[in-house]
């Protein structure tokens, strides 16, 4: 009889986990159900950047996870047969305001690229060279081009993964669920017991685990992005601009430009777009592209990220219950770190063996008590 496995949450961790549970289950020994209602999901609201190597963050576990997460994408894209509308490796341009800081960063980049194959190559670009690569800019900064950097359309990415998972036999139920006191999942059809469960409900994890008397130490952070039309004739394959202390600018094929995202710690679970955030994001973009105007904005997307006190993701099994696995606290690096977490959790269920993940994360008991 097939072993029943549930994935709660269809964001970047949950969707990847559901896909790999079905992909790795070559003997069809698992009956996999994914529960998700999609409300406030950070991934679907996001357009993200896969380029962690020159981050200012100095958390060694986070960097190991982000570095391996970026490298993992080549496997995921091949396994799930993802198209360029979901994932596109066009390179990233990272800037620093001060010339000496940019030169120091370039020295760091040269050291890292020597032992980080996923970076592929790095190149110092003058402001004129940046303008050649991003022609819609009117005031381009100098920067460092990282060839291996990539960009993702979060909503398309999730839809593709879930579609592949369903083709492999995963059952998708569009509903929000929680546990009851005995560990069964409360569904609209009544309580249901599963032999293994992956919980990846982001900042809603508190409510998911509350019936089991666990306290999850995550907090919500609101994030908003704006979509603009730059030019119907904009050439394809433009790189991402990651300016220091300002909003990222992510150009997509077809003349679409995404700017963001905000980091609103007081925004909580509010999913309403605000004119203040729209003005801030447009103002940040106009620092480098002064011809942009509000009438080019085609939409605002809003999501809620989950953050931990030390800004680090966590994953592993629920304290005292190895059959319930967790992954969360991704913060703003979720599109980089989420897929590899989903893969590792899925693989541990398929292999009947928990992995040694100490190089990537502290114990779950640091975040769930």
């Amino acid at each position: 009889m097939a072993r029943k496995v549930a994935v709660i949450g269809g964001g970047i961790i949950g969707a990847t986990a559901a896909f790999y549970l079905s992909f790795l289950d070559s003997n069809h020994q698992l009956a996999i159900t994914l529960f998700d209602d999609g409300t406030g999901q950070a991934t679907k609201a996001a357009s993200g950047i896969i380029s962690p190597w020159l981050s200012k963050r100095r958390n060694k576990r986070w960097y190991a996870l982000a570095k391996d997460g970026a490298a993992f994408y080549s496997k995921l894209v091949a396994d799930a047969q993802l198209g360029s509308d979901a994932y596109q490796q066009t390179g990233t341009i990272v800037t620093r305001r001060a010339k000496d800081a940019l030169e120091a960063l370039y020295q760091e980049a040269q050291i890292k690229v020597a032992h980080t194959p996923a970076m592929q190559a790095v190149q110092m670009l003058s402001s004129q060279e940046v303008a050649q690569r991003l022609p819609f800019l009117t005031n381009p900064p100098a920067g460092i081009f990282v060839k291996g950097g990539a960009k993702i359309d979060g909503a398309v990415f999730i839809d593709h993964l879930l579609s592949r998972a369903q083709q492999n036999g995963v059952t998708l139920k569009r509903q929000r669920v929680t546990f009851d006191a005995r560990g069964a999942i409360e569904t609209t059809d009544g309580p249901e017991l599963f032999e293994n469960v992956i919980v990846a409900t982001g900042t809603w994890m508190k409510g998911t685990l509350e019936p089991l008397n666990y306290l999850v130490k995550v907090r919500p952070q609101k994030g908003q992005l704006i979509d603009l039309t730059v030019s119907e004739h904009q050439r394809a394959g433009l790189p991402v601009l990651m300016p220091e202390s300002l909003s990222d600018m992510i150009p997509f094929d077809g003349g679409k430009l995404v700017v963001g995202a905000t980091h609103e710690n007081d925004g909580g679970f509010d999913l309403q777009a605000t004119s203040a955030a729209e003005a801030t994001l447009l103002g940040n973009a106009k620092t480098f592209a002064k011809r942009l105007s509000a009438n080019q904005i085609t939409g605002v997307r809003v999501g809620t990220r989950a953050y931990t006190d030390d800004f680090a993701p966590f994953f592993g099994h629920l304290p005292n219950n190895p059959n319930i696995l967790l992954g969360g606290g991704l913060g703003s690096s979720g599109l980089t770190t989420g897929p590899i977490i989903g893969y590792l959790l899925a693989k541990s269920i398929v292999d009947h063996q928990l992995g040694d993940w100490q190089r990537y994360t502290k114990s779950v008991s640091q975040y769930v008590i």
Side-chain angles (χ1 to χ4, degrees), residues 130 214 294 310:
V130 171
Y214 285 97
D310 61 359

Side-chain angles (χ1 to χ4, degrees), residues 15-356:
T16 307
F19 167 72
Y20 270 109
L21 282 167
S22 62
F23 183 82
L24 297 173
D25 181 31
S26 57
N27 294 323
H28 304 290
Q29 296 178 334
L30 304 179
I32 307 155
T33 304
L34 184 142
F35 298 95
D36 180 71
D37 69 351
T39 302
Q41 189 185 106
T43 308
K44 284 198 171 184
S47 289
I49 306 166
I50 311 302
S51 187
W53 308 287
L54 302 184
S55 171
K56 290 184 175 181
R57 296 178 66 168
R58 291 296 177 260
N59 182 315
K60 291 182 179 180
R61 283 191 175 96
W62 175 87
Y63 183 74
L65 180 64
K67 177 184 174 182
D68 288 356
F72 174 72
Y73 263 93
S74 60
K75 174 177 172 58
L76 174 57
V77 168
D79 289 345
Q81 301 176 357
L82 299 177
S84 60
D85 55 340
Y87 172 89
Q88 196 174 20
Q89 194 172 66
T90 55
T92 53
I93 299 172
V94 184
T95 79
R96 292 290 183 266
R97 289 179 174 175
K99 182 179 179 181
D100 58 346
L102 185 63
E103 291 175 348
L105 187 65
Y106 182 57
Q107 297 301 318
E108 177 186 336
Q110 288 182 306
I111 294 170
K112 286 184 174 179
V113 73
H115 51 82
T116 309
M119 292 177 71
Q120 296 188 21
V122 297
Q123 180 183 355
M124 179 74 84
L125 300 179
S126 67
S127 59
Q128 292 82 6
E129 290 170 325
V130 171
Q132 292 172 0
R133 294 175 186 244
L134 294 170
F136 61 89
L137 299 183
T138 58
N139 183 34
I144 298 167
F145 178 70
V146 183
K147 185 178 180 181
K151 56 195 173 190
I152 287 179
D153 184 307
V156 175
F157 188 84
I158 290 298
D159 287 345
H160 280 212
L161 276 181
L162 293 181
S163 176
R164 299 296 185 196
Q166 288 178 283
Q167 291 171 17
N168 292 343
V170 173
T171 299
L172 176 59
K173 294 189 176 182
R174 292 295 187 186
Q175 57 182 275
R176 180 171 293 192
V177 298
T178 186
F179 289 98
D180 66 15
R182 66 191 179 105
I185 294 178
E186 291 280 10
T187 76
T188 54
D189 298 320
E192 189 172 353
L193 284 169
F194 291 84
E195 294 174 66
N196 298 99
V197 181
I198 293 175
V199 179
T201 47
T203 196
W204 283 270
M205 194 182 291
K206 284 185 176 181
T208 309
L209 296 179
E210 186 176 14
L212 299 179
N213 294 316
Y214 285 97
L215 173 64
V216 183
K217 296 191 288 185
V218 297
R219 64 182 188 275
Q221 184 189 72
K222 183 177 181 179
Q224 301 186 59
L225 306 95
I226 56 173
D227 296 329
L228 303 97
T229 297
V230 178
S231 169
E232 293 181 359
H233 306 290
Q234 192 70 56
R235 69 173 183 260
L238 297 182
V240 174
L241 182 66
M242 302 175 67
E244 182 180 23
S245 303
L246 289 172
S247 304
D248 297 324
M249 302 178 71
I250 313 173
F252 286 89
D253 295 353
K256 176 182 174 181
L257 176 67
V258 178
V259 179
T262 62
H263 294 74
E264 302 169 52
N265 292 327
D266 57 349
F269 295 95
D270 174 25
L271 297 176
Q272 295 298 312
T274 64
S275 58
E278 187 175 319
T280 296
L281 293 169
L282 180 61
N284 287 343
K286 285 171 69 69
T287 301
F288 307 105
K290 65 180 181 181
R291 289 194 293 264
L292 292 177
S293 64
N295 62 18
Q296 291 173 267
I297 298 175
T298 58
V300 183
R301 284 175 283 152
V302 186
T304 304
R305 311 179 188 93
Y307 267 91
T308 58
D309 289 342
D310 61 359
F311 301 96
F314 64 89
F315 63 102
H317 70 82
L318 191 64
N320 304 317
N321 192 336
N323 295 323
I324 298 179
L325 300 174
L326 314 176
L330 301 184
S332 57
S333 65
L335 292 178
T336 302
T337 59
I340 192 170
I341 291 174
Y343 168 75
L344 292 172
L345 295 177
K347 192 172 188 303
S348 73
I349 289 176
V350 173
D351 292 346
H352 295 271
Q353 183 177 357
L354 292 173
D356 181 7

